[in-house]
Every structure is written in structure tokens, then in C-alpha cells.
Amino acid sequence: MASAGRPAVSQAPVVGTGTIGQRRGFRHDNLTGYLFIAPWLIGFFAFTLIPMIASLYFSFTEYSVLSSPRWIGLDNFVRMFTQDARYWNSVRATFTYVFTAVPLRLIFALAVAMLLNTKHRGVSLYRAAYYAPSIVGGSVAVAVMWRQIFGTEGVVNAVTHVFGIPSVTWLGDPATAIWTLVTLAVWQFGSPMLIFLAGLKQIPQELYEAAAMDGATPWSRFTSITLPMLSPVIFFNLVMQIISGFMVFTQAFIVTGGAPLDTTLFYALYLYRRAFETFQMGYASAMAWVMLLVIAFFTAIVFKSSSYWVFYDNKEGE
Amino acid sequence: MSATTAPVSRYLPQRRKWMGSLLHHVIVAGLGFVMIYPLLWMFASSFKAPSEIWTNITSLVPQHFTLDNYANGWKGFGGITFTTFYINSFIYAFFGTLAAVTTSAVVAFGFSRIPFKGRAFWFTCMLMTLMLPAQVTIIPQYIVFSKLGLLNTFWPLILPRLGGQAFFIFLIMQFIRGIPHELDEAAEIDGCNKLSIFTRIMLPLISPALITSAIFSFYWTWEDFLSPVVYLNNPKLYTISLALRSFADPSATTDWGAVFAMSSLSLVPVFILFIAFQRYLVEGISTTGLKG
């Protein structure tokens, strides 16, 4: 569901600022308040909270939908961690993907945002061209296209041929297949780029002017003004990209189908197969909970580390 | 947004500034072309004769322009044409978007403008759901929908959206924050209740946020693959995503012209919306990411 280019929500929830905190002179109006949020609240219980609890229960059972769930304790987890080689293949593929695609995508997004952060003419046209791949990026159509581009007879081989490089079976070679998916992800840097661009525009120009007068080089202006001033935005993009990176599904399903030799068998894809192709709902639920904990773990690490590298300029306020 | 300065170039002499500007355009345009080349390539290939697609491969101009691929592709597979798939996708995208955006607006108003006990707690719960992988909830949901006999219907796709979607609720809340509280207070003094404040005052004012949400919702529904592939396995109910998956199966198809034609066509609604509402999208993404 979460498409790869999905922009999302700020790291600093509005709790505690003017919106959610109590506003003076306003009476509590519990009934009206709960009536307004009732649709979400009902949906939250029906489609999130109760399913989560059910999923946790299923993870300790063997369950094929046709028969009723049978309690097997920690067996699913033991099997997953000690006997299932494919499980570890999927973990390896997913980590390789997340730890290359996410940094590369953010670096590209920042580099292009800086290129576009000028008053040159035609910036909005360029911005549209760079963002276009991202709005269609999650679609099956683009995944199908990608498969043909990297096919043996595809565009990439046709181009490298011109330079005398022999053809490569990009999708069939275990050494290269995952990089076609990483490339596909990096190609869709549009959403973080737009967020970086908006962040760059908020950096006061006086800082750069002062630094230029002091004779700072472009590189030191970048490392000592741009990066610190942009760090809240980098933090936000990093969190969102890590979360969506772990959930990548459609692209692998269509472009490589997990082949060759499970090198692109992403976690979400393997989970899908366990759940909806072999109907091992218990095992798949156990996998889903491990996934949730891993995502929570990495998100927590980024949050914890943020006090060391994220710089908040507090003068804005409400 | 528009009032920006290029800090560095201001200090350079005129001629170097001109050269720098040219170089900048060359780099940005060249890189931009590489970015959209794959999409242009697919659109161009969809107008090439089947014999030409893999021989005249890198060219963006068909030697013999043809619409045959579109005619052949539209016939679909198994006796079901793309007319069916488009109707299914529009049903899903329309009702999915309507459900998600309408309730998200109501809930966003509740969270931002009505003080009630437990508000901060539920708001935090809502933000947490943004991080939740769909895989954790989709298995129990699937089991319940299958026990209710609702597999191969659109209900499992649309019902979960009736509660609103956290991302849109948050996006609309961010927008409501910019609307002065004095408006609500004045209306309240005039005897308006919360419902009429919402329908008469808030709704017209937040329409830009509703448009942004609707466009994103349409995109994500149109491109959604996970829910349709789980719940729909009757080809008569296939959405475009599922149809393209089957249609482009490398072990079954050889007519790549038709595949490219149907893939390109499926992106047309997306690009039309993008061109028409670019401003809303750009601002939507920028503000959700920034004004936290």
C-alpha cells in the first residue's frame, strides 16, 4: 500500500504546540469531539488494533484458514530463525536494498534539490521532469517497463553496446538483479527532493552571504550551513524512506519475482507468498511481527541518534 | 516560494554569471532528460510496429507511426477487454478516494478544533499507524473478509478507507492550523454549533487540502497492487494493475507493443492530474514534510 515515493508526515508531531494542547478559553467538549473522530476511531479498532492483536495471536499458531488455528508456541519463530534458509535470503535482500537505495535516493534528492534551488528560468519545468518518475513509480506499468529496459534485449544493453560493453543479463544474474531494483528506487527521488527544496528555501540567505564574505569555500558552506540547517528535513526524509524501504513489494513482485536465487526476494514479497500462495497464515503473521519490530528498531535508532546531529532552529515557534 | 536568490552567483562578474547559467541549464536539462527518458521510451515504443520495437530500440521517434498496439492491447485477455479493467479501476479509485478524503476531513476537524479528553493520545495512535506495515493487518483482515464471503468484491478494498487515512488526516490538520481560531470563535458566538462551523466555515477554506488529498488518494488507489492482488482473483474484477501484471507476463506474451501501449495508457490519467494540479501536489508534499 505504501507506495515508494510516498511523502509523509513530520517528525515533530503537533502535540504540545497550539493545535493539540489546550487552548485557553475553550471548554472540553468530549461528546462532539468523539463524534467527529468516531469514523477514524471505529476504523482504528476494526482495521488496525484488533487485526494487530489477531496477527500477534496467529504468529503463535499454525493456521491455514481452512482449519482453525492450532497453538504451537514459538515454533514459527524458531523455524524462521534456524531452519528457513529462504527467510535469511529475504532478510539479506531487504537489508541490501534498504541500506543502499535509501542513502542513494536521499543523496540524489538533495543534490538535485540544490541544483534546482536557483532563480534560473524554467525551474518549475525541471522540477516537474524530476518529479514525474516518482508519481508513477509505484505502478505496475513502470515495473513492467523497467523489466524490459533491463532485459537482455533491452535499452540498457543497447546503450552499453555502443560503448563496446558486452551484453549483461541484468535480471538473470544474481550479482546484478538487485541493483536494477535499487536503480528503480533511486530514480524515484521526487518526494524527498521536493521536501529538501522546500527546506532549502527556508535557509536564511544572510548566512551564505556572511560566509561568502568570510571567504568560505562552497564545500564548507555546504557542510557548515546547508547540512546543519537542513538536518530536521534530512531526519524526516530518512525516517520515512527507511520505513517505506522495508515495505517494498510491487517492484520486486513484477520486475524480478524474487529471482534469481532469491537475491531479490524482499521480505514483504516472501511474506506475501507464505500468506497468500501457500496459506501459512501463522508463519506469515510471525514474519509480519518481526518486520514490525525491525522497522520500529531502526526508526528508534534514528530518533535516538537525532539529538547528536539534528539541529533545530527554535526561533520560529508558533 | 518564488522569491529566492542565488547567493553565490551574485558576487561573480557578469560574463562568468552568464556562462554559469548556461552550464547550469545544460546540466539540469541533461539530467532531466535522462530521468524521463525511460517514460518517453515506453510511450514511443507503444507507437512502433512490433518489428521495430527491439530493432530501433533506443530511438524516441517511431519510423512507422502506428496505433495498432493500442487496438490490439485493448482487446485484453481471456475475452475481457481493458474497458472492464478501466471501469474496475475507476470504481476503486473513485469510491476509495471519496471515502478516504471525506472522513479524513471530518476527523481532521475533530482533532484540530475540538478539545476533548484523550485527544493527544488518539492523535499519537493515529501517527503511529503511519509506520505500521500493511502486512501486520492484512492477514487478519483477509481472514475476516474471507469468512464473510467478501473475497472477489470491492468491499475489502473500500471498507478500510471509510475510517479515513492517517496521512490525509494529518495533511488536512496541517492546513487547518493555518486558519485563525477567531473564525470559529466568532461563529460560535453567533450560535453556530461545531457541525455547522465545519460544513459552512471550514470546508470551503480547506478545499485546497482536500484537493491535494484527493489527488494523492487517487494516485495510490490507481497504482495500488497489494490489496487487489490479495482480494481479487477473478479476472472480471481486475484493476489496471492486476490486468497489466497478467497481460505482461513474460512467459505468456510476445506482443510487447500492446503491453507498452496499455502500460502507457494506464499512466495517462496520472499525468493529466499531475499537469492540472501540480501546484497542489508540490505544496502538499512540501508542507507535510516541513511545518511540523
Side-chain angles (χ1 to χ4, degrees), chain A residues 10 45 65 168:
Chain A
S10 163
F45 276 93
V65 186
V168 178

Side-chain angles (χ1 to χ4, degrees), chain B residues 85-105:
Chain B
F85 305 138
Y86 271 88
I87 291 172
N88 292 337
S89 271
F90 274 114
I91 290 175
Y92 179 29
F94 178 78
F95 288 104
T97 299
L98 189 70
V101 176
T102 315
T103 26
S104 295

Side-chain angles (χ1 to χ4, degrees), chain A residues 1 3 6-10 12-15 17 19-21 23 26-30 32-34 36-37 39-41 44-45 47-48 51-52 54-55 58 63 65 112 115-116 118-121 124 126-133 135-136 138-142 144-145 147-149 153-155 158-159 187 189 191 194-195 198-199 201-202 205 208-209 213 221 233 236 243 247 249-250 253-254 268 271-272 275-276 279 281 284-285 288-289 291-292 295 299 318, chain B residues 1 4-8 10-11 21 24-25 27-29 31-32 35-39 41-42 54 57-58 103 106-107 109-112 114-120 122-127 129-133 135-143 145-147 159-160 162-163 167 169-170 173-174 177 181-182 185 188 194-195 198 216 219-220 223-227 229-230 241 244-245 248 250 256 259-260 263 266-267 270-271 274 278 282 285-286 288-290 292:
Chain A
M1 270 202 197
S3 76
R6 177 175 183 146
V9 166
S10 163
V14 240
V15 185
T17 68
T19 316
I20 280 292
R23 218 179 124 80
F26 263 75
R27 276 175 296 110
H28 273 242
D29 192 346
N30 293 334
T32 322
Y34 276 96
F36 268 92
I37 69 158
W40 173 79
L41 209 53
F44 175 68
F45 276 93
F47 297 109
T48 305
M52 273 180 80
S55 167
F58 291 148
Y63 187 25
V65 186
V112 174
L115 270 181
L116 294 184
T118 62
K119 58 175 178 181
H120 289 293
R121 238 172 297 167
S124 63
Y126 293 138
R127 194 180 57 194
Y130 286 105
Y131 185 55
I135 55 165
V136 294
S139 67
V140 172
V142 162
V144 166
M145 175 191 89
R147 198 172 62 201
Q148 298 317 121
I149 284 178
E153 307 281 300
V155 178
V159 171
W187 183 56
F189 57 72
S191 295
L194 290 180
I195 296 172
K201 287 188 196 299
Q202 292 192 340
Q205 291 306 317
Y208 290 108
E209 285 161 15
M213 281 189 217
R221 282 198 296 263
V233 184
F236 167 74
I243 292 172
M247 299 182 197
F249 172 73
T250 310
F253 190 111
I254 302 288
L271 195 158
Y272 167 84
F276 300 107
F279 292 95
M281 295 301 184
S285 296
W289 269 88
M291 180 180 185
L292 176 63
I295 292 178
T299 312
E318 269 290 290
Chain B
M1 275 238 142
T4 54
T5 45
V8 186
R10 189 183 294 176
Y11 299 96
S21 178
H24 180 266
H25 275 288
I27 293 173
V28 176
L31 204 59
M35 286 292 292
I36 53 170
Y37 174 80
L39 293 169
W41 173 79
M42 184 166 72
W54 304 116
I57 181 162
T58 52
T103 26
V106 176
V107 174
F109 177 77
F111 270 128
S112 18
I114 307 172
F116 58 88
K117 256 199 160 104
R119 183 162 71 155
W122 293 119
F123 179 72
T124 311
C125 284
M126 191 197 73
L127 283 188
T129 63
L130 281 168
M131 296 187 193
L132 196 69
Q135 282 76 9
V136 179
T137 51
I138 202 166
I139 291 172
Q141 285 182 20
Y142 172 87
I143 291 165
F145 283 122
S146 90
K147 303 266 184 214
L159 278 179
L162 279 173
F167 176 75
I169 296 174
F170 185 78
M173 284 180 71
Q174 292 288 71
R177 289 179 76 192
H181 274 272
E182 286 70 23
E185 286 159 17
E188 209 152 20
K194 295 287 183 193
L195 185 65
F198 174 67
F216 277 122
Y219 281 173
W220 295 335
E223 292 176 359
D224 185 20
F225 183 66
L226 180 61
S227 311
V229 82
V230 167
S241 300
L244 284 177
R245 192 262 320 240
W256 288 106
V259 169
F260 291 145
S263 299
S266 79
L267 302 180
V270 177
F271 280 121
F274 178 54
Q278 210 208 119
V282 169
I285 293 176
S286 309
T288 44
L290 279 181

Side-chain angles (χ1 to χ4, degrees), chain B residues 4-251:
Chain B
T4 54
T5 45
V8 186
S9 52
R10 189 183 294 176
Y11 299 96
L12 299 176
Q14 205 58 34
R15 214 174 76 87
R16 276 187 64 195
K17 192 173 167 183
W18 186 83
M19 286 292 287
S21 178
L22 183 72
L23 186 71
H24 180 266
H25 275 288
V26 169
I27 293 173
V28 176
L31 204 59
F33 177 74
V34 174
M35 286 292 292
I36 53 170
Y37 174 80
L39 293 169
L40 296 176
W41 173 79
M42 184 166 72
F43 276 92
S45 297
S46 73
F47 297 110
K48 293 175 185 173
S51 59
E52 193 193 331
I53 289 179
W54 304 116
T55 50
N56 184 22
I57 181 162
T58 52
S59 166
L60 293 181
V61 185
Q63 279 166 346
H64 307 286
F65 183 88
T66 172
L67 288 173
D68 288 358
N69 295 324
Y70 285 86
N72 292 335
W74 195 267
K75 289 177 193 147
F77 50 87
I80 305 164
T81 66
F82 266 82
T83 313
T84 310
F85 305 138
Y86 271 88
I87 291 172
N88 292 337
S89 271
F90 274 114
I91 290 175
Y92 179 29
F94 178 78
F95 288 104
T97 299
L98 189 70
V101 176
T102 315
T103 26
S104 295
V106 176
V107 174
F109 177 77
F111 270 128
S112 18
R113 285 301 216 250
I114 307 172
F116 58 88
K117 256 199 160 104
R119 183 162 71 155
F121 172 76
W122 293 119
F123 179 72
T124 311
C125 284
M126 191 197 73
L127 283 188
M128 301 272 274
T129 63
L130 281 168
M131 296 187 193
L132 196 69
Q135 282 76 9
V136 179
T137 51
I138 202 166
I139 291 172
Q141 285 182 20
Y142 172 87
I143 291 165
V144 170
F145 283 122
S146 90
K147 303 266 184 214
L148 294 173
L150 291 176
L151 297 187
N152 283 314
T153 68
F154 284 103
W155 290 113
L157 306 181
I158 292 170
L159 278 179
R161 289 161 192 259
L162 279 173
Q165 278 179 301
F167 176 75
F168 301 132
I169 296 174
F170 185 78
L171 192 147
I172 298 168
M173 284 180 71
Q174 292 288 71
F175 199 86
I176 293 179
R177 289 179 76 192
I179 296 169
H181 274 272
E182 286 70 23
L183 275 179
D184 307 32
E185 286 159 17
E188 209 152 20
I189 290 164
D190 288 346
C192 273
N193 61 19
K194 295 287 183 193
L195 185 65
S196 50
I197 293 177
F198 174 67
T199 54
R200 293 200 196 153
I201 294 168
M202 212 46 94
L203 267 188
L205 289 174
I206 61 173
S207 57
L210 300 184
I211 294 173
T212 310
S213 304
I215 297 165
F216 277 122
S217 172
F218 179 85
Y219 281 173
W220 295 335
T221 324
W222 188 258
E223 292 176 359
D224 185 20
F225 183 66
L226 180 61
S227 311
V229 82
V230 167
Y231 291 115
L232 307 173
N233 47 45
N234 176 354
K236 284 196 176 116
L237 295 171
Y238 274 10
T239 59
I240 300 285
S241 300
L242 291 181
L244 284 177
R245 192 262 320 240
S246 305
F247 195 53
D249 183 355
S251 59

